[in-house]
Amino acid sequence: MISRLLDLFLAYEVDPNVNLIILKGNGRAFCAGGDVAAVVHDIRKANWKSGAQFFSKEFILNYVMATYTKPQVSILNGIVMGGGNGVTMHGRFRVATETSVFAMPETALGLFPDVGASYFLSRLPGFFGEYVGLTGARLDGAEMLACGLATHFVPATKLSLLEEALHKVDSSDSAIISAIIDCYSQQPYLKDQSAYRRLDVIDRCFSRKTVEDILSALEKEYMDKADDWIKNTIQSLKKASPTSLKISLRSIREGRIQGVGQCLTREFRMVCHVMEGKLSKDFFEGCRAILLDKDRNPKWEPARLELISEGMVEQYFSRMDDEEWDDLKLPSRSNFVLPGHAIAKL
Amino acid sequence: MSSESPTDRASRRTRILSNHLTTSDLQVGGNSLQSNICLSYSPPELHEKIEFEVRKMRELLDVHNLQDRDWLFGLMMQSKLFNPQEKGGKVFVMPDFNHTKEQQREMTMKRIEYLLERGVFDGWLTTRGPETEMRKFAFMETLGIFDQSLAIKIGVHFFLWGGAIQFFGTKRHHDKWLRDTETYRIKGCFAMTELGHGSNVRGIETVATYDPKTDEFVITTPCESAQKYWIGGAANHATHTVVFSQLNINGRNQGVHAFIVQLRDFDGNICPNIRIADCGHKIGLNGVDNGRIWFDNVRIPRENLLNSVADVTPDGQYKSAIQDPDQRFAAFLAPLTSGRVTISLSAIYSAQIGLAIAIRYALSRRAFSFVPNEPEVLLLDYPSHQRRLLPLVAKTYAMTCAGNYLKKMYVKRTPESNKTIHVVSSGFKAVLTWHNMRTLQECREACGGQGLKTENQVGHLKGEYDVQSTFEGDNNVLMQQVSKALLGEFIAAKKKNKPFKGLGLEYMNEPWPVIPSQLTSDILRSSNFQITTLRLRERDLLNRFAAEMSQHQSSGVNKEYAFALGYQLAEDLGRAFSDRIIFETFLNDEGTVSTGPMKDVVGKLRSLYALTCMEEDAAFLRYGYLSTEKAAAVRAEVAKLCSELRPHALGLVSSFGVPGAFLSPIAFNWIDSNAWSSSSA
């Protein structure tokens, strides 16, 4: 599917008959993420490189989308998770609905928010990106719009009208397309319990330097004022792979000062280390516990944050120690005149 | 430069202008893929290749606490307090310099409170050791990249006030003040400079007299020239200060000592017998509240004397372990070296900002064509533009390594290394801050009119950083101190007939070197030739300086006046010494890079650094270290190296590790950031 999408995107870019691309899900969910179980199966059968190759294609697709010359309108109806966010969040327009459910749940799987999440999460207001990326918190459509993950909110009932209108557009001009989506858009109500209304607490806690500091800041908040949301937040952090949390935090922090290409290249290194399984096998354990055996009881190794040194984290960011293995090769985009919003991502 | 005829040029202008008019209404509905004659911004990321790993190069430059730095960058980028502004689709953080000085000061204070809350200053004064010190340095460098005022205001509080308590004080002071300083319960400042005395601290006129009847010191400003001047933090925020004052015991002056005086109560009211006035608006650093202070017989408890060097007993006896007043004074000032370390480093990071902006602009801005009707040429593809900027990049690389060497030496300091630290930090502070000012001016000019806009940093930073050549020791005075120290080494070695040891002067024990008669490219690029030539200059200048001094003195001129007369050689020697050590540190760091594309680039930078030093200093020709032919060969090689480094320009400035948000709009999409649609502000 990733290969097919990439081929289509590359072909549409030079096809003068294509003005814009509409990406939508087929069925109730938009996309629940990449087929991680298949990747694990591939690795078991062959070696980590076959798993890594899948990510290589996926990340290249993410890069092409981020630097695309034509507007991409993604209609985020239903669940959008992991890899689903990779093929939408880099595009120009992201339309949420009342059925949208966003999450980057990788830390619970022993992975980390990839597909360029270190680029788009780190650019959310304050430290909301750290919160979303580390806890795997689910966001609804209103929350996605509020924090900027979605550019528009259109009620599901109006989606077919919107699509119709978009089909008629004879332009690649972002302003025109944005104006059309605006016609069907609504300002949704942000629920009272929304995490986005807790941005002050999130900023206070998730701005801390280390995962340990974030946890103790949350625990301090909880002592000052016991509250279910903080309790759940602490619990999701405690359930996640400690290694994943540490590399995810560093990835988001580095991503904040990197362009989208650098982010994807770095994430690719990280993903290769994860697939190789030399530094930690948490990814395989996470897949076993969540996707295969479904006992939801992963045994992380190392099991505690304080057992993971900075040096161990550092290794995930280094080039693979393999003569035959290269860093991610991003396709050249120098033959295109990129639109301003794409240039800004470099 | 352009071969276009005036008519060609006129017709081209007409074409472009008419194009602006005719396409203006087409723009909205037009296909963005259609090419038109209007310029579009072509991001350097897409057309420049980077052949080494930027991450590794950044490690070579930043060396330590990289994640801490990135964390702090993020803390600033994600807070509204740091005035984020979207320009051309990118967010930039920068203080609002359109604010009045009062507003800028309040914003600086608010930013400090935010950083404090987020734990940036945890352990700055309550933990010790090399790790803490390196982390502090990294944070100071990072904060200074956002705003020099912010770094200075924090530096005064922690390094000057806090440092004075740590180094001049004893346990009772540490217990009482350090924790409260770290949490900003109290805000400290540092009152040393007076209207009448700056670099010559021993001449200050403020007096502290001991009154044994009440067990107090009485601090007095006896005349207008004794008012404390430029005291950062004094005008608005400081609650306490360290005051440097002559100590008078029973009518006898014991020299300069340091005392703690409270300036304001916790509601911000100025304490009795203290007068404070503002230093007014400045050419830069308006986020720092510099003030002037007068003391009208202010009484403070005897315990407020910072007594690590000397103490006064309740009955008024003066006690000091160091009998010699010269040594006592030196012991006082030695710990303040940290100021020169942070200044040197912040100067280098400022030069990095300037160069990253000017080079990125030169990789996206075009001017004139070599051939009529051909596309215009990128600024950085002009050899002249390369010659203006790339040697400054090479120097900045070399001096970054030098700064790191200085930091390491400071952090590992021992009583024996104090003298070396003093000499090296004096030389580096002068050379690095001068380099920064020169770099910023060149970058400003290289950015043309855009360099004049405050938002584009390069011009504005000149005002912010100009003070660096003055504070913590005037650069010229520091250079003379370096030469004085070298002369001391020279005389000691000659008199005692002992070999040179220390300050890297061991090479002077060897026979004089010979410069090869033919300077081929290979020789010019060999570190052996480069170090030999730089040492030759230093060694010869030192011999000449010593000869001149002894000549003056044998004709009856006193030592101090002889120094004043010998200023020409003294300044040349100070520079020769600093250049040589900078080169050695760079060469040493180059040695740590493993073979590959990155090492090749670093080697070229090292050669460009050394050869630029030779090209720029007339001493090489004046005293004949290089013949005119050899000097011409050096110059030709500089141009060659510039063109070889041109393809690496983007990688070199990306490796400075200054995030885009801390650069400026002209470093990125300057067409979009200037578009009509973004001109509301």
Side-chain angles (χ1 to χ4, degrees):
Chain A
M1 169 128 118
I2 295 281
S3 306
R4 176 84 183 121
L5 267 178
L6 181 58
D7 291 344
L8 287 176
F9 266 79
L10 292 176
Y12 289 159
E13 189 153 42
V14 290
D15 184 342
N17 297 316
V18 175
N19 285 316
L20 73 149
I21 293 184
I22 301 173
L23 199 66
K24 56 175 185 171
N26 193 1
R28 278 194 305 130
F30 175 87
C31 172
D35 193 347
V36 180
V39 171
V40 172
H41 184 74
D42 278 358
I43 294 177
R44 290 250 153 86
K45 233 174 55 187
N47 56 38
W48 67 268
K49 288 180 185 174
S50 54
Q53 248 127 30
F54 165 82
F55 287 93
S56 158
K57 272 201 194 116
E58 187 179 23
F59 290 8
I60 285 171
L61 173 65
N62 300 149
Y63 181 70
V64 168
M65 288 171 155
T67 56
Y68 211 57
T69 52
K70 297 179 184 180
Q72 173 189 345
V73 182
S74 304
I75 296 177
L76 308 167
N77 206 11
I79 292 176
V80 202
M81 288 190 186
N85 290 312
V87 293
T88 53
M89 292 304 149
H90 298 292
R92 181 70 185 83
F93 298 107
R94 288 95 58 191
V95 179
T97 75
E98 68 276 14
T99 67
S100 301
V101 181
F102 168 101
M104 290 301 285
E106 287 81 0
T107 58
L109 264 183
L111 192 61
F112 63 93
D114 59 342
V115 294
S118 65
Y119 182 85
F120 62 76
L121 288 182
S122 64
R123 277 152 182 84
L124 299 184
F127 294 83
F128 199 63
E130 272 93 338
Y131 164 70
V132 170
L134 295 184
T135 62
R138 294 181 170 213
L139 305 178
D140 64 23
E143 290 171 314
M144 291 175 73
L145 182 72
C147 74
L149 283 166
T151 57
H152 295 80
F153 183 95
V154 174
T157 50
K158 289 194 186 165
L159 287 177
S160 50
L161 291 172
L162 169 64
E163 260 187 72
E164 235 172 84
L166 289 174
H167 277 296
K168 290 185 197 141
V169 179
D170 185 24
S171 165
S172 288
D173 190 293
S174 280
I176 291 173
I177 291 161
S178 184
I180 291 171
I181 312 174
D182 280 342
C183 295
Y184 302 89
S185 292
Q186 264 184 16
Q187 188 60 46
Y189 180 72
L190 188 63
K191 65 185 181 212
D192 295 338
Q193 298 306 312
S194 170
Y196 199 68
R197 293 192 188 272
R198 313 296 295 271
L199 203 52
D200 55 335
V201 183
I202 289 175
D203 279 356
R204 271 203 301 277
C205 300
F206 284 86
S207 62
R208 293 287 157 171
K209 200 161 70 182
T210 62
V211 180
E212 290 92 328
D213 290 349
I214 290 173
L215 259 171
S216 59
L218 282 165
E219 276 159 359
K220 192 176 157 287
E221 293 277 342
Y222 188 70
M223 295 233 286
D224 293 346
K225 189 170 171 283
D227 155 320
D228 279 351
W229 175 78
I230 298 181
K231 198 168 99 187
N232 293 338
T233 304
I234 294 171
Q235 264 170 2
S236 16
L237 290 176
K238 291 202 161 156
K239 265 195 346 223
S241 147
T243 303
S244 290
L245 289 176
K246 287 210 167 180
I247 63 175
S248 302
L249 182 63
R250 171 137 170 217
S251 174
I252 293 170
R253 297 265 158 97
E254 283 199 19
R256 189 162 276 139
I257 55 172
Q258 290 178 325
V260 70
Q262 289 170 296
C263 283
L264 288 163
T265 312
R266 173 178 41 71
E267 288 178 10
F268 186 62
R269 280 190 185 183
M270 296 169 69
V271 111
C272 289
H273 283 291
V274 171
M275 295 306 131
E276 191 192 31
K278 239 190 211 167
L279 303 175
S280 153
K281 294 193 170 28
D282 277 5
F283 171 60
F284 302 96
E285 172 62 11
C287 288
R288 182 202 62 75
I290 311 289
L291 302 174
L292 305 172
D293 298 352
K294 301 194 177 168
D295 61 19
R296 305 210 144 259
N297 187 21
K299 298 271 176 283
W300 305 125
E301 183 60 42
R304 291 202 318 275
L305 289 166
E306 56 273 27
L307 298 175
I308 303 157
S309 68
E310 261 191 50
M312 289 156 82
V313 174
E314 178 73 36
Q315 290 180 50
Y316 283 88
F317 297 78
S318 61
R319 195 189 278 268
M320 294 303 288
D321 190 15
D322 185 331
E323 288 284 307
E324 290 155 29
W325 192 252
D326 229 335
D327 278 332
L328 184 66
K329 283 263 176 298
L330 294 172
S332 165
R333 306 287 291 154
S334 58
N335 295 333
F336 297 94
V337 177
L338 304 191
H341 69 88
I343 289 176
K345 291 181 184 173
L346 299 167
Chain B
M1 192 174 287
S2 164
S3 53
E4 259 181 333
S5 73
T7 30
D8 281 348
R9 215 172 317 158
S11 70
R12 194 171 54 92
R13 288 287 310 153
T14 323
R15 207 170 60 233
I16 291 174
L17 283 173
S18 63
N19 189 64
H20 283 311
L21 296 172
T22 52
T23 55
S24 56
D25 36 354
L26 284 177
Q27 285 291 301
V28 179
N31 188 328
S32 60
L33 277 180
Q34 258 169 18
S35 66
N36 59 39
I37 198 152
C38 279
L39 294 177
S40 61
Y41 174 80
S42 172
E45 283 81 0
L46 292 190
H47 56 77
E48 299 288 322
K49 275 212 187 83
I50 299 182
E51 279 163 22
F52 52 86
E53 209 183 321
V54 167
R55 173 183 216 94
K56 289 270 168 222
M57 192 69 104
R58 183 189 170 199
E59 273 172 26
L60 182 78
L61 297 177
D62 275 346
V63 182
H64 60 100
N65 299 89
L66 271 75
Q67 276 94 66
D68 289 332
R69 293 172 200 260
D70 291 351
W71 171 61
L72 185 48
F73 280 133
L75 277 185
M76 296 192 273
M77 288 164 66
Q78 297 306 100
S79 163
K80 293 272 177 285
L81 285 172
F82 291 78
N83 191 31
Q85 305 277 316
E86 206 203 290
K87 303 258 163 84
K90 267 194 160 353
V91 176
F92 296 94
V93 286
M94 186 188 195
D96 187 343
F97 291 113
N98 220 12
H99 276 165
T100 64
K101 75 177 195 306
E102 295 305 326
Q103 289 170 313
Q104 290 186 45
R105 291 169 178 184
E106 285 320 301
M107 283 311 296
T108 307
M109 203 59 230
K110 280 199 182 122
R111 287 171 189 140
I112 292 175
E113 283 158 12
Y114 165 82
L115 297 166
L116 175 71
E117 229 172 80
R118 300 293 143 115
V120 173
F121 306 127
D122 288 358
W124 277 37
L125 292 170
T126 51
T127 58
R128 290 196 181 201
E131 231 173 82
T132 307
E133 297 204 66
M134 288 308 254
R135 199 177 70 236
K136 279 195 278 188
F137 280 135
F139 281 154
M140 285 297 286
E141 289 156 20
T142 309
L143 294 165
I145 287 173
F146 170 73
D147 175 29
Q148 180 68 352
S149 284
L150 179 63
I152 299 281
K153 180 126 175 134
I154 290 168
V156 168
H157 177 77
F158 282 102
F159 288 87
L160 293 180
W161 156 265
I165 305 282
Q166 273 183 320
F167 297 124
F168 307 152
T170 49
K171 189 168 182 303
R172 65 173 188 240
H173 305 110
H174 300 166
D175 293 348
K176 187 165 178 192
W177 305 102
L178 290 181
R179 182 163 296 280
D180 282 353
T181 300
E182 191 175 294
T183 57
Y184 271 92
R185 205 177 80 82
I186 58 164
K187 301 182 185 105
C189 64
F190 188 81
M192 184 184 258
T193 297
E194 296 175 358
L195 177 60
H197 290 88
S199 289
N200 181 17
V201 178
R202 294 183 80 175
I204 58 170
E205 298 170 287
T206 303
V207 186
T209 311
Y210 183 62
D211 179 354
K213 288 193 288 286
T214 57
D215 207 20
E216 288 173 321
F217 292 104
V218 184
I219 313 258
T220 312
T221 303
C223 49
E224 286 298 357
S225 61
Q227 63 180 273
K228 292 295 178 184
Y229 216 103
W230 296 125
I231 311 310
N236 293 75
H237 297 123
T239 58
H240 292 74
T241 188
V242 170
V243 180
F244 287 82
S245 161
Q246 305 289 348
L247 172 59
N248 189 320
I249 304 269
N250 300 322
R252 186 154 172 230
N253 182 16
Q254 298 289 357
V256 176
H257 289 71
F259 303 84
I260 293 173
V261 177
Q262 184 164 1
L263 295 177
R264 289 185 174 84
D265 64 22
F266 289 100
D267 296 324
N269 306 305
I270 295 173
C271 295
N273 298 341
I274 286 170
R275 287 175 287 148
I276 294 180
D278 206 305
C279 287
H281 194 270
K282 296 162 293 191
I283 61 167
L285 289 183
N286 282 302
V288 180
D289 52 327
N290 292 94
R292 305 181 277 148
I293 314 174
W294 290 258
F295 301 94
D296 303 326
N297 296 320
V298 177
R299 291 187 160 264
I300 54 166
R302 189 177 56 89
E303 291 75 27
N304 282 18
L305 168 68
L306 293 171
N307 60 340
S308 73
V309 173
D311 207 353
V312 174
T313 60
D315 61 341
Q317 305 227 20
Y318 183 76
K319 301 244 165 184
S320 176
I322 308 172
Q323 292 311 317
D324 177 22
D326 287 347
Q327 280 182 21
R328 209 154 60 210
F329 182 69
F332 248 126
L333 293 194
L336 295 180
T337 316
S338 79
R340 286 203 283 274
V341 179
T342 48
I343 290 167
S344 303
L345 268 304
S346 88
I348 264 315
Y349 279 93
S350 158
Q352 292 184 358
I353 295 170
L355 286 165
I357 292 169
I359 296 259
R360 290 188 58 95
Y361 186 58
L363 288 171
S364 64
R365 177 65 149 81
R366 295 169 183 272
F368 303 104
S369 326
F370 292 141
V371 181
N373 301 321
E374 284 292 299
E376 290 179 296
V377 176
L378 276 180
L379 298 185
L380 204 60
D381 285 332
Y382 285 96
S384 61
H385 213 76
Q386 295 167 10
R387 176 60 187 83
R388 286 168 72 184
L389 295 177
L390 295 178
L392 294 172
V393 172
K395 283 188 181 186
T396 301
Y397 266 73
M399 291 181 194
T400 306
C401 294
N404 289 325
Y405 164 79
L406 178 61
K407 256 191 282 187
K408 249 179 273 164
M409 190 162 61
Y410 173 78
V411 165
K412 291 188 190 152
R413 66 193 174 275
T414 59
E416 295 76 48
S417 70
N418 267 343
K419 189 176 160 197
T420 309
I421 294 174
H422 174 75
V423 178
V424 174
S425 68
S426 300
F428 281 10
K429 186 262 184 183
V431 171
L432 272 57
T433 59
W434 273 329
H435 165 69
N436 177 37
M437 289 307 291
R438 200 191 135 198
T439 301
L440 290 174
Q441 181 63 25
E442 198 64 63
C443 292
R444 206 297 290 152
E445 293 178 32
C447 292
Q450 289 297 324
L452 300 169
K453 289 181 65 158
T454 305
E455 70 173 20
N456 287 331
Q457 300 257 33
V458 285
H460 180 85
L461 287 179
K462 289 188 293 171
E464 296 290 314
Y465 282 86
D466 205 339
V467 63
Q468 289 200 328
S469 47
T470 298
F471 66 12
E472 298 272 341
D474 171 87
N475 279 3
N476 290 290
V477 173
L478 291 179
M479 278 309 208
Q480 287 169 17
Q481 287 192 13
V482 170
S483 297
K484 231 184 234 187
L486 291 174
L487 182 65
E489 294 293 311
F490 187 85
I491 292 171
K494 295 282 152 176
K495 242 189 210 158
K496 294 178 195 151
N497 209 9
K498 271 168 97 181
F500 285 92
K501 197 167 172 291
L503 297 174
L505 296 172
E506 291 79 2
Y507 72 89
M508 290 185 56
N509 302 317
E510 308 295 320
W512 285 73
V514 182
I515 304 289
S517 53
Q518 283 293 316
L519 292 185
T520 62
S521 189
D522 281 349
I523 292 175
L524 285 164
R525 292 180 189 215
S526 75
S527 57
N528 192 20
F529 160 77
Q530 293 158 3
I531 189 63
T532 303
T533 312
L534 291 174
R535 283 175 177 167
L536 176 62
R537 170 179 59 155
E538 181 190 20
R539 181 178 194 165
D540 180 66
L541 287 172
L542 180 49
N543 276 276
R544 285 173 191 272
F545 185 52
E548 189 184 340
M549 287 303 105
S550 81
Q551 200 194 346
H552 283 312
Q553 280 173 277
S554 59
S555 65
V557 174
N558 83 15
K559 205 170 140 193
E560 294 310 317
Y561 188 46
F563 270 123
L565 289 174
Y567 71 97
Q568 284 181 328
L569 279 168
E571 282 169 20
D572 284 352
L573 175 59
R575 180 166 286 278
F577 167 81
S578 308
D579 287 351
R580 189 260 304 163
I581 301 205
I582 291 167
F583 178 83
E584 285 171 346
T585 60
F586 194 23
L587 183 62
N588 186 56
D589 284 3
E590 181 190 342
T592 65
V593 180
S594 42
T595 314
M598 176 167 147
K599 198 183 187 78
D600 297 343
V601 173
V602 175
K604 285 187 170 80
L605 288 169
R606 184 250 305 148
S607 288
L608 184 54
Y609 170 74
L611 297 180
T612 308
C613 285
M614 292 175 209
E615 198 199 347
E616 285 177 349
D617 184 1
F620 288 94
L621 278 169
R622 184 186 302 124
Y623 300 114
Y625 315 137
L626 296 172
S627 63
T628 49
E629 292 82 39
K630 286 180 190 173
V634 165
R635 180 163 232 218
E637 201 66 21
V638 166
K640 226 165 110 191
L641 281 163
C642 285
S643 70
E644 287 173 34
L645 283 166
R646 155 67 187 86
H648 303 289
L650 180 66
L652 289 174
V653 298
S654 303
S655 304
F656 288 149
V658 180
F662 295 80
L663 299 178
S664 70
I666 45 162
F668 296 92
N669 192 344
W670 42 266
I671 294 183
D672 274 12
S673 62
N674 281 293
W676 173 254
S677 55
S678 43
S679 63
S680 54

